[in-house]
Amino acid sequence: MSDLLTKSNLWLIFTFTTGLVSIFQLLEYLVTKNVPWLFRFISRLWKKIRQHFAGGDPAETPKLIVNFSGHPVLPGQQKAIERIKHWTSSKVINVALGNVAEDHHFVSAIEKAINKIELTPDEWQSIPLVVIPSGYSLVWSVVQAVLHGRLGHFPDVVRLRPTAPLSTEKFEVAEIMNLHDVRHASRDKR
């Protein structure tokens, strides 16, 4: 027992214990502080594994309607978008922007809402999508800038208009605007 309690052995035991405790504290910090990141990473990894083994058919690539308007996309509107885009089906993703505070965190609040859309960088650039804009122009400006950064181009935008008074839906799809083509055509006027 006295051989175990020598000065060099005590120093070695102390160093080993300190290192072990430090490793556990680091692991605890990584797990507790990064739970949302870990959850997103694991869910995206699981999604990729499922797609890989399911042998995803390119014809069945999901088509997305990303709704920033704060109002539900009605069935007639969804069918009209699918008809105009020649899609057989689509999935609606509602992005809850809520009331964005008019403070110095304006842009980051909008970015946080867009970050909740669980798409990988590859999916942002490969999945066909259209967006229904927010009615608040400052919010929509930031949304467009963020989407342009992720997509590499402007998204196609759904323009809604009021319907006839006797219609079951108050707004209908007027057109889908291809902002990429609008931008390209405007380059001639520089």
Side-chain angles (χ1 to χ4, degrees):
M1 183 73 176
S2 62
D3 292 339
L4 184 63
L5 298 177
T6 63
K7 189 175 184 180
S8 63
N9 285 347
L10 284 176
W11 182 249
L12 181 66
I13 293 170
F14 174 76
T15 305
F16 177 76
T17 306
T18 305
L20 198 59
V21 169
S22 297
I23 290 171
F24 282 126
Q25 286 180 340
L26 176 64
L27 289 173
E28 178 186 12
Y29 173 78
L30 290 175
V31 170
T32 57
K33 297 293 182 184
N34 293 305
V35 167
W37 177 84
L38 286 171
F39 179 75
R40 283 194 307 270
F41 175 76
I42 290 169
S43 66
R44 288 176 183 159
L45 183 64
W46 178 248
K47 188 176 179 181
K48 284 184 180 181
I49 290 171
R50 277 194 343 231
Q51 286 176 347
H52 176 73
F53 286 108
D57 183 14
E60 293 182 22
T61 301
K63 279 75 170 176
L64 301 179
I65 301 170
V66 185
N67 181 17
F68 293 98
S69 72
H71 301 284
V73 176
L74 301 174
Q77 296 168 343
Q78 186 173 358
K79 292 293 179 198
I81 292 168
E82 291 170 355
R83 182 180 37 78
I84 293 169
K85 295 295 286 181
H86 306 289
W87 293 348
T88 55
S89 65
S90 63
K91 176 183 174 188
V92 176
I93 297 177
N94 293 303
V95 180
L97 295 172
N99 293 327
V100 181
E102 297 283 340
D103 61 5
H104 62 280
H105 299 294
F106 187 79
V107 173
S108 64
I110 296 167
E111 287 176 331
K112 283 180 186 175
I114 294 173
N115 287 339
K116 291 180 182 176
I117 301 172
E118 294 188 2
L119 295 177
T120 64
D122 290 337
E123 290 172 330
W124 275 110
Q125 296 179 22
S126 62
I127 293 178
L129 62 87
V130 297
V131 294
I132 299 174
S134 165
Y136 184 24
S137 61
L138 290 176
V139 169
W140 180 237
S141 299
V142 175
V143 168
Q144 277 189 313
V146 172
L147 291 179
H148 190 284
R150 293 180 185 209
L151 297 170
H153 56 83
F154 285 109
D156 291 346
V157 177
V158 177
R159 184 173 69 88
L160 300 175
R161 67 176 170 216
T163 59
L166 299 177
S167 177
T168 57
E169 296 181 358
K170 293 190 180 205
F171 291 91
E172 66 183 0
V173 176
E175 65 179 322
I176 297 178
M177 300 178 293
N178 186 329
L179 297 184
H180 179 71
D181 288 349
V182 172
R183 179 186 180 276
H184 187 67
S186 297
R187 291 176 63 97
D188 296 339
K189 296 176 179 52
R190 278 199 220 185

